[in-house]
Amino acid sequence: MVIHRQFELSADWVDALKTESMSQMGRADLVGSDKCSLEFGMAVNDRGRCYVSGPGSVLNAYHNSEGKLQASLFSCTDADLLPTRTSYIYYKEEHYSFLHHDAASAHITLITGLSDKLSPLVLFPAFGRATQKDIEVLNRIPNLRGPEFVTQMHSLFGARGSSIEVPLAFGTTIALTGRAVAHARPAQSQPGTVATACYSFIQPPANYLL
Amino acid sequence: MQELSKQAIEQFRSSLPPSHNLEMWVNETVLEYARVKSMWDQEIQAMPLEGTLLANLITAAGNSPKVDYGNELNKYEALFGTPPDYCWTTPVDQMFGKSAAAASQPATAWVSYSKFS
């Protein structure tokens, strides 16, 4: 299974999404928690801090057309894939999404950079499922910028903490198997905005199950 | 079980209060409709709780309600890799009750029914 792929989104989509993200910013709400928690399927979730807004008409249209096409191509299966959730995420300086697996309805997630100088997405392909002990260890890690976070993860988890950094430039989209592969967006050194679009299989292929 | 038409989805969407979670709720209920249809097609007896998003979409799609048709819902996780979610288990009234008027305070609803992605 390919765990991630990057592609350039067309300038028309990028311009429209960026414009809509700015107009939606006023509706965004601060969400977050200082602690990881263990979800069903032994998934890690909850820790992070950012502003989130629901989609407007442009992001909804992208979710149901271009995004769905890209997610289907990325999935490399014939299994039916449906759009589920989509949002704009606004990071202020030091905001972050800690190590997590995506929601159960997000077998595939597309993340599009809508500003410059976003911190890279960090994937942990060998981390796998989490235990309660893992959660306790993770909760002792402070909120760190990318290089320090990567070092801490490797130091604490050994091979499971090995990571891949994927740059997220303005106008670039990363497709990833977000439910199966743990990932993080370490603390931003400056504000940044991304759009996320998630997709779920009706009947998940075995290799997409966490 | 009826195929899901665009008209049924629109009727279902228009029955929900405004919220920035609206499209997520519609999309994820459509996903669960496909899954319940798959279960019924395999003669697996499973019904969502009354008043939930999925129960409402099943009705909007023109299906007759099947009361007490739920003793095989425990097969859901083996089929789809996750337990039945809020579409199956949380009545819409409770969702909006919990979120203290989701239309005006969408963040609360978002936090309750979504995770980081």
Side-chain angles (χ1 to χ4, degrees):
Chain A
M1 181 175 70
V2 177
I3 62 169
H4 78 95
R5 188 172 75 84
Q6 285 173 278
F7 56 92
E8 296 294 319
L9 195 56
S10 74
D12 287 348
W13 275 117
V14 173
D15 290 346
L17 289 168
K18 183 173 174 59
T19 300
E20 184 174 81
S21 73
M22 291 189 294
S23 70
Q24 293 285 106
M25 199 180 292
R27 297 181 63 209
D29 299 292
L30 182 63
V31 297
S33 166
D34 296 329
K35 297 288 180 188
C36 297
S37 58
L38 195 59
E39 198 192 70
F40 56 80
M42 302 176 82
V44 181
N45 216 310
D46 285 340
R47 185 171 166 190
R49 192 157 300 277
C50 54
Y51 284 83
V52 178
S53 162
S57 58
V58 176
L59 185 51
N60 273 328
Y62 169 77
H63 195 204
N64 286 284
S65 59
E66 176 72 13
K68 187 177 178 186
L69 175 64
Q70 292 295 348
S72 295
L73 291 172
F74 170 72
S75 76
C76 294
T77 78
D78 293 330
D80 287 333
L81 196 63
L82 294 181
T84 52
R85 54 190 61 189
T86 184
S87 61
Y88 292 108
I89 300 179
Y90 308 91
Y91 295 97
K92 293 200 166 185
E93 189 177 339
E94 303 305 334
H95 277 186
Y96 66 109
S97 298
F98 199 74
L99 184 88
H100 66 283
H101 299 92
D102 285 347
S105 59
H107 293 120
I108 293 175
T109 296
L110 306 182
I111 304 173
T112 300
L114 295 177
S115 57
D116 290 321
K117 299 182 181 173
L118 288 158
S119 64
L121 184 71
V122 186
L123 309 180
F124 294 87
F127 189 81
R129 300 175 185 218
T131 63
Q132 191 57 48
K133 187 179 176 190
D134 291 335
I135 299 295
E136 290 164 14
V137 174
L138 289 168
N139 279 336
R140 289 201 293 269
I141 301 176
N143 180 24
L144 298 170
R145 298 252 171 100
E148 292 81 12
F149 179 68
V150 163
T151 301
Q152 273 273 17
M153 283 294 294
H154 196 260
S155 164
L156 292 167
F157 290 98
R160 286 179 71 208
S162 298
S163 58
I164 300 169
E165 287 192 35
V166 186
L168 183 57
F170 174 73
T172 297
T173 296
I174 301 172
L176 73 150
T177 53
R179 179 66 180 170
V181 176
H183 54 283
R185 297 186 52 73
Q188 282 281 143
S189 60
Q190 56 186 286
T193 302
V194 301
T196 66
C198 302
Y199 300 85
S200 177
F201 294 105
I202 298 170
Q203 189 83 52
N207 56 347
Y208 277 89
L209 294 175
L210 182 66
Chain B
M1 192 175 198
Q2 299 287 330
E3 293 294 335
L4 198 51
S5 66
K6 285 185 179 176
Q7 187 181 13
I9 295 171
E10 277 313 308
Q11 182 186 332
F12 172 68
R13 178 185 279 109
S14 65
S15 73
L16 298 173
S19 161
H20 77 179
N21 287 327
L22 182 66
E23 290 306 315
M24 177 181 86
W25 286 331
V26 171
N27 288 342
E28 296 191 357
T29 311
V30 168
L31 169 70
E32 296 308 322
Y33 187 93
R35 289 178 171 174
V36 75
K37 185 174 186 308
S38 165
M39 294 175 85
W40 288 15
D41 288 348
Q42 297 173 66
E43 299 187 354
I44 297 171
Q45 297 190 12
M47 267 297 286
L49 290 180
E50 193 175 345
T52 54
L53 290 167
L54 182 55
N56 293 350
L57 183 58
I58 287 171
T59 303
N63 300 288
S64 302
K66 292 189 178 188
V67 180
D68 296 332
Y69 191 73
N71 61 353
E72 292 186 299
L73 189 55
N74 57 346
K75 293 183 178 175
Y76 180 99
E77 188 165 351
L79 287 168
F80 305 114
T82 175
D85 66 6
Y86 65 93
C87 298
W88 290 75
T89 60
T90 309
V92 176
D93 289 350
Q94 279 186 33
M95 289 171 64
F96 284 87
K98 277 180 187 170
S99 66
S104 59
Q105 296 181 23
T108 317
W110 182 273
V111 172
S112 299
Y113 300 103
S114 66
K115 298 280 186 181
F116 287 114
S117 56

